[in-house]
Amino acid sequence: MTERTHSVNAPQLVVLALLFTVALLPTRVGATEGGIGYYVPGTMATLIDRAPIQTGWVVKPQYMHYSGDFGATADTPIAGLVAAGIDVKIEAVAPGLLYTFDDTVLGAKYTLGAFPSWVDVSVTGTIESNFGNFSRRDSVSGLGDTTLIPALMAWQEGCWQYNFMFAIHAPTGDYEVGRLANEGLNYWAVDPVVGVAYSNLEKGFNASVFTGVLFNDENSDTDYRSGRTFHLDASVQQMIKAGDGFITLGLNGFWGQQFSPDRNPGRFVDEFKMRSSGIGPVLGYMLPMGKDNILLELSWLPQTDTRNTTEGEYVWLKFVYQWQ
């Protein structure tokens, strides 16, 4: 987002929250139902994802492609079933809309927003049952879950920007027990995220770190509550002058891990623990136009280390148009 200097009353609160979030990590890890939850690597990771500091509107449509699979022998609880050898393909579009207020809150620029989604999901797997195992493929397409953002805050001090976001994930997508592919996850979740970003406009160097903890409610149709998830996304990007705008080149990476056990009635597989990390390139273009700004970004995030979750790759295409 476009940067400008504001007075800072409480950025130290964000730094303390960042340290506290990291300190929450114990040694035990849990899992998410199906190995996939509301935390999606790359959602909030780079220059384009920082909280706005200019008063006005932001339109932020995002496209994500994911393809990945489990090992052929990995048993996975999903939609009330236990399946092995799962192969997942997801196409998702989230047309986000945000508004940044002129008045500050605790010295920070304050933004409200929402990201509805439309998804196309295809899942193939081998279902385990008392009558034997059989292969099945389910595909669905339609309205997905919605992310509400009642608080997105930014403090800025020189080259540093401190961010806080409180996201609420609402289960607006369709869900059916016994169906491998579903548009939604069928439970609520909240995700407080803190971030620190550094931008040196003279040298064109940018770096960002965002970290948070995802708290999941219970899936009432399967009596399954996924464990809490710690996640961290980071990036480094270099801005290069190109005509009236700037090309941005860099790397983005992530690490996600469950740190609390799942709660379920005991009819699913035991000791299902999830971990995932990855790193990949990011390419963008920024066009400042006074009070209007355009940003475009393409990133690729292959998973390089996974445990009890699908292993594959994320591709993100994000666009931002900001105006007053």
Side-chain angles (χ1 to χ4, degrees):
M1 303 296 181
T2 303
E3 303 184 22
R4 119 185 139 186
T5 302
H6 289 272
S7 62
V8 178
N9 294 332
Q12 294 85 0
L13 295 175
V14 177
V15 176
L16 289 174
L18 175 64
L19 296 175
F20 177 73
T21 300
V22 175
L24 284 174
L25 282 176
T27 57
R28 185 178 180 182
V29 295
T32 55
E33 186 176 5
I36 297 175
Y38 279 117
Y39 166 61
V40 181
T43 301
M44 195 170 187
T46 63
L47 176 66
I48 202 171
D49 301 314
R50 298 178 191 175
I53 57 175
Q54 174 180 294
T55 301
W57 292 94
V58 174
V59 173
K60 189 181 181 183
Q62 303 180 106
Y63 164 78
M64 185 211 72
H65 164 83
Y66 177 74
S67 60
D69 59 78
F70 276 95
T73 60
D75 290 333
T76 307
I78 180 171
L81 303 171
V82 175
I86 290 178
D87 183 274
V88 179
K89 290 182 174 58
I90 303 173
E91 311 283 343
V93 177
L97 180 64
L98 305 101
Y99 182 78
T100 305
F101 295 90
D102 188 47
D103 294 334
T104 60
V105 175
L106 298 176
K109 296 296 289 186
Y110 186 84
T111 300
L112 293 174
F115 286 81
S117 66
W118 184 271
V119 298
D120 189 287
V121 184
S122 176
V123 180
T124 303
T126 300
I127 306 300
E128 300 182 4
S129 71
N130 295 329
F131 304 100
N133 301 342
F134 57 93
S135 297
R136 199 171 84 196
R137 180 179 185 273
D138 291 339
S139 297
V140 295
S141 182
L143 178 68
D145 292 337
T146 299
T147 299
L148 306 173
I149 303 177
L152 178 58
M153 305 172 71
W155 295 263
Q156 191 176 19
E157 184 177 17
C159 294
W160 293 93
Q161 180 173 319
Y162 307 90
N163 301 311
F164 170 75
M165 180 182 73
F166 187 79
I168 300 173
H169 300 288
T172 54
D174 187 46
Y175 182 87
E176 183 179 312
V177 174
R179 189 172 64 187
L180 294 180
N182 282 293
E183 291 95 330
L185 297 180
N186 200 47
Y187 58 85
W188 292 80
V190 296
D191 192 10
V193 176
V194 294
V196 178
Y198 175 82
S199 293
N200 188 319
L201 295 181
E202 292 184 359
K203 296 183 179 181
F205 177 77
N206 293 270
S208 302
V209 177
F210 299 94
T211 185
V213 176
L214 180 67
F215 299 86
N216 300 300
D217 197 6
E218 182 179 282
N219 183 336
S220 59
D221 287 352
T222 60
D223 298 324
Y224 195 107
R225 173 173 285 185
S226 298
R228 293 185 290 273
T229 303
F230 169 82
H231 55 89
L232 184 147
D233 290 78
S235 67
V236 290
Q237 293 171 273
Q238 180 66 41
M239 297 169 58
I240 303 170
K241 184 67 175 176
D244 295 330
F246 299 88
I247 293 174
T248 60
L249 298 170
L251 292 173
N252 65 150
F254 74 94
W255 174 42
Q257 183 166 331
Q258 305 294 128
F259 68 87
S260 69
D262 289 0
R263 292 165 54 186
N264 61 73
R267 57 188 227 260
F268 297 107
V269 294
D270 296 326
E271 298 298 324
F272 185 69
K273 301 177 180 180
M274 186 280 288
R275 179 183 68 236
S276 181
S277 62
I279 189 171
V282 56
L283 170 67
Y285 182 72
M286 177 188 302
L287 180 62
M289 301 182 296
K291 295 182 179 180
D292 295 352
N293 302 281
I294 292 176
L295 295 88
L296 181 66
E297 190 174 272
L298 176 66
S299 63
W300 175 49
L301 265 178
Q303 292 168 284
T304 57
D305 179 31
T306 62
R307 179 179 180 179
N308 289 330
T309 187
T310 53
E311 181 170 342
E313 59 183 11
Y314 297 87
V315 177
W316 282 96
L317 179 61
K318 302 178 182 179
F319 176 79
V320 162
Y321 179 61
Q322 181 183 41
W323 78 96
Q324 285 185 314

